């Protein structure tokens, strides 16, 4: 038994010794790793502090540079005597900045598109009305209509004369624009929509010539060029004034505003009747005044009717005193008087070309976009069988309207005014002589 204990105890002591040595070695390795980690963290913190110091130094240098620039700008402003005003020109740098390059001549020419009212800036070129009509139909009519009358809400380019004083003025190239060079410049710079600056100068001249023709400002054989464009005076050239607001109004806006008792009395000086927002307290008085005028008009009409029989009875003896004319001679004289002037008919044929896109006349004429017009003079409105008239024309036909010369002349001058709601897009003829010529031409076609 004692021998066993002698053997076991030394063995147990040896195991303890081995464990103790292992623990010591492990503990030493752990402390070495911990020390290395702490040393690495210290290096990282030191690097961060160094970076912060560098950033602080950089920011301080930047602040010093900005302060120096600010001081220099203030010194230059003081030397210029402008007090640093934004209107003063920028100082010229001491040396080139080294940015960009001089523009090439062709690059400058590409941007140099402006045209002045006196014609400066117009390129050499020309275009006639008939060529312009073809180009306009192809590239412009989808928005502005075949006759420059405007489609839907797209701008009208023709018509609108004598409307600028109305509540709803129609501002077109013919009725409003003061200079034709503005129209040329705009078409050349910005049209056609979506394909700006694809038109050649000759095409632009032709389109502008057609716009003039659509406004009855030139004839169909007119040729527009850089040589005659500036000489064309637009109807509304005198309808504009020089903007003098910087001298007359701006000083008033910069004065001390009045805040109380600024007027002796308050009164309405203008009335927003179009918007229907200004109360109208004089409606009854106006109605009464209108009624009085109407009564006076009715009385005048009664007097005129009463006087008519007397005048007719007085004229009767004179009429009976005239020698009788043979029936054959009377018929020949009536036919000669009814026959239209050949020269006027020839002129009307030329003017009718404005209508030929939608209407036909002559032998074999058929309905097109609009009805054929053979025999229209003296015919009831809306009388062509098989043609689908608009509601406005159907109402005019139901009302018994007839295309006599007076009614036809009024319609040719202002289609939408005479028959409101008509779908005819033509803006109308502006010249009385053209209207008379077209009617003569239509009469020669069997009406």
């Amino acid at each position: 038994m004692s021998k066993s204990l002698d053997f076991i105890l030394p063995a147990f002591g040896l195991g303890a010794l081995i464990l103790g040595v292992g623990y010591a070695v492990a503990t030493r390795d752990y402390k070495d790793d911990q020390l290395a980690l702490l040393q690495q963290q210290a290096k990282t913190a030191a690097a961060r502090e160094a970076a912060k110091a560098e950033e602080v130094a950089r920011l301080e240098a930047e602040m010093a540079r900005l302060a120096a620039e600010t001081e220099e700008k203030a010194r230059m402003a003081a030397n210029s005597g402008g007090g640093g005003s934004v209107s003063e020109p920028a100082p010229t740098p001491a040396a080139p900045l080294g940015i960009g390059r001089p523009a090439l001549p062709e690059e400058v020419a590409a941007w140099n598109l402006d045209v002045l009212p006196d014609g400066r800036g117009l390129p050499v070129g020309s275009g006639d009305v008939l060529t312009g009509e073809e180009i306009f139909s192809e590239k412009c009519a989808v928005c502005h209509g075949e006759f420059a009358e405007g489609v839907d809400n797209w701008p009208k380019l023709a018509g609108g004369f004598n409307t600028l004083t109305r509540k709803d003025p129609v501002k077109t190239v013919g009725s409003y624009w003061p200079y034709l060079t503005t129209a040329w410049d705009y078409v050349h710079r910005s049209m056609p929509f979506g394909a700006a600056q694809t038109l050649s100068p000759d095409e632009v001249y032709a389109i502008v010539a057609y716009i003039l023709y659509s406004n009855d400002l030139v004839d169909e054989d007119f040729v527009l060029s850089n040589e005659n464009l500036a000489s064309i005076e637009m109807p509304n050239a005198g309808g504009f004034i020089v903007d003098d607001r910087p001298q007359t109004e701006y000083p008033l806006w910069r004065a001390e505003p009045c805040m109380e008792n600024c007027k002796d009395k308050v009164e309405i000086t203008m009335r927003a009747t179009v918007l229907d927002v200004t109360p109208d307290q004089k409606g009854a008085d106006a109605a009464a005044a209108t009624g009085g005028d109407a009564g006076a008009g009715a009385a005048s009409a009664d007097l005129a009717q009463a006087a008519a029989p007397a005048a007719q009875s007085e004229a009767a003896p004179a009429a009976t005193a005239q020698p009788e004319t043979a029936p054959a001679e009377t018929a020949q004289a009536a036919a000669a008087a009814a026959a239209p002037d050949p020269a006027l008919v020839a002129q009307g044929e030329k003017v009718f070309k404005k209508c030929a896109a939608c209407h036909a006349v002559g032998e074999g004429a058929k309905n097109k976009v609009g009805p054929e017009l053979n025999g229209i003079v003296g015919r009831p409105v809306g009388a062509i069988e098989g043609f689908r008239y608009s509601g406005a024309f159907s109402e005019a036909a139901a009302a018994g309207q007839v295309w006599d010369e007076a009614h036809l002349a009024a319609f040719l001058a202002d289609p939408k005014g005479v028959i409101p709601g008509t779908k005819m897009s033509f803006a109308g003829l502006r010249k009385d002589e053209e209207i008379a010529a077209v009617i003569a031409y239509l009469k020669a076609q069997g009406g």
Side-chain angles (χ1 to χ4, degrees):
M1 183 66 179
S2 60
K3 291 182 178 180
S4 299
L5 291 174
D6 291 340
F7 176 75
I8 292 172
L9 288 174
F12 181 78
L14 179 60
L17 179 61
I18 292 173
L19 290 174
V21 172
Y23 175 76
V25 171
T27 301
R28 186 188 62 188
D29 292 342
Y30 172 76
K31 290 181 178 178
D32 290 343
D33 293 342
Q34 192 73 3
L35 180 60
L37 178 61
L38 292 175
Q39 290 175 343
Q40 182 61 36
Q41 290 178 347
K43 290 180 180 179
T44 301
R48 289 176 179 174
E49 290 298 325
K52 288 182 180 180
E54 291 178 359
E55 180 66 13
V56 169
R58 188 188 68 79
L59 292 176
E60 290 177 347
E62 181 67 14
M63 291 174 62
R65 184 185 67 79
L66 292 176
E69 288 185 0
T70 302
E71 183 178 354
E72 178 64 16
K73 290 179 179 179
R75 183 187 64 78
M76 294 179 66
N79 292 337
S80 66
S85 171
V86 294
S87 62
E88 294 295 332
T92 303
L97 300 177
I99 300 176
R101 59 169 175 77
L104 300 175
E106 55 268 27
E107 293 173 330
V108 174
W111 282 97
N112 188 21
L113 301 177
D114 57 311
V115 177
L116 301 182
D118 60 3
R120 282 179 292 170
L122 283 172
V124 176
S126 64
D128 61 88
V129 170
L130 297 181
T131 302
E133 182 179 14
E134 297 176 358
I135 301 172
F136 191 93
S137 178
E138 177 186 354
K139 300 186 177 183
C140 313
V142 65
C143 297
H144 299 291
E146 291 289 344
F147 305 105
E149 78 281 0
V151 176
D152 297 330
N153 288 329
W154 294 101
K156 296 176 175 61
L157 304 182
F161 294 96
N162 302 318
T163 67
L164 298 184
T165 58
R166 295 188 337 198
K167 300 174 183 177
D168 54 343
V170 180
K171 298 180 179 180
T172 69
V173 173
S175 69
Y176 182 72
W177 291 31
Y179 303 113
L180 187 61
T181 49
T182 306
W184 198 99
D185 182 83
Y186 187 81
V187 173
H188 184 227
R189 184 190 303 270
S190 304
M191 293 290 113
F193 182 70
Q197 299 184 27
T198 59
L199 297 171
S200 69
D202 287 346
E203 289 177 319
V204 177
Y205 282 112
I207 288 175
V208 176
Y210 178 69
I211 293 174
L212 288 175
Y213 176 73
S214 299
N215 282 279
D216 291 323
L217 298 177
V218 298
D219 295 326
E220 66 175 2
D221 57 354
F222 176 74
V223 178
L224 183 68
S225 69
N226 59 295
E227 296 180 353
N228 63 1
L229 188 146
S231 65
I232 297 175
E233 184 174 355
M234 301 301 285
N236 196 42
F240 291 80
I241 61 174
V242 176
D243 185 0
D244 61 352
R245 287 176 296 177
Q247 292 76 32
T248 59
E249 295 185 16
Y250 293 179
L252 300 178
W253 299 344
R254 289 168 172 79
E256 187 69 23
C258 177
M259 303 302 294
E260 59 181 356
N261 300 324
C262 302
K263 295 283 186 180
D264 295 334
K265 61 179 181 178
V266 177
E267 59 182 356
I268 296 174
T269 58
M270 299 184 70
R271 312 186 72 82
T273 55
V274 175
L275 300 178
D276 195 22
V277 296
T278 303
D280 190 354
Q281 299 177 355
K282 298 182 180 180
D285 297 337
T290 303
D293 294 341
S300 300
D302 292 341
L303 290 174
Q305 291 178 358
Q312 291 176 359
S313 63
E314 292 177 1
T320 56
Q322 297 295 328
E324 294 184 0
T325 305
E329 294 178 359
T330 303
Q332 292 176 359
D341 180 10
L344 194 60
V345 171
Q347 181 185 353
E349 184 178 8
K350 293 177 61 177
V351 179
F352 188 80
K353 291 180 180 180
K354 298 182 179 181
C355 316
C358 300
H359 298 281
V361 292
E363 185 178 357
K366 297 181 180 180
N367 296 332
K368 300 169 71 174
V369 176
E372 56 90 3
L373 301 181
N374 286 336
I376 188 174
V377 181
R379 188 173 69 198
V381 173
I384 296 296
E385 294 185 5
F387 184 80
R388 186 176 180 180
Y389 289 96
S390 65
F393 262 77
S394 299
E395 292 177 4
Q401 294 187 20
V402 177
W403 289 125
D404 56 34
E405 291 192 32
H407 191 42
L408 191 56
F411 181 78
L412 289 173
D414 185 10
K416 296 184 183 297
V418 173
I419 301 184
T422 176
K423 294 183 178 179
M424 194 172 88
S425 59
F426 185 57
L429 296 173
R430 187 172 170 229
K431 299 178 181 178
D432 293 338
E433 55 269 26
E434 289 189 344
I435 294 174
V438 168
I439 293 176
Y441 176 68
L442 292 174
K443 290 176 67 176
Q445 307 304 316

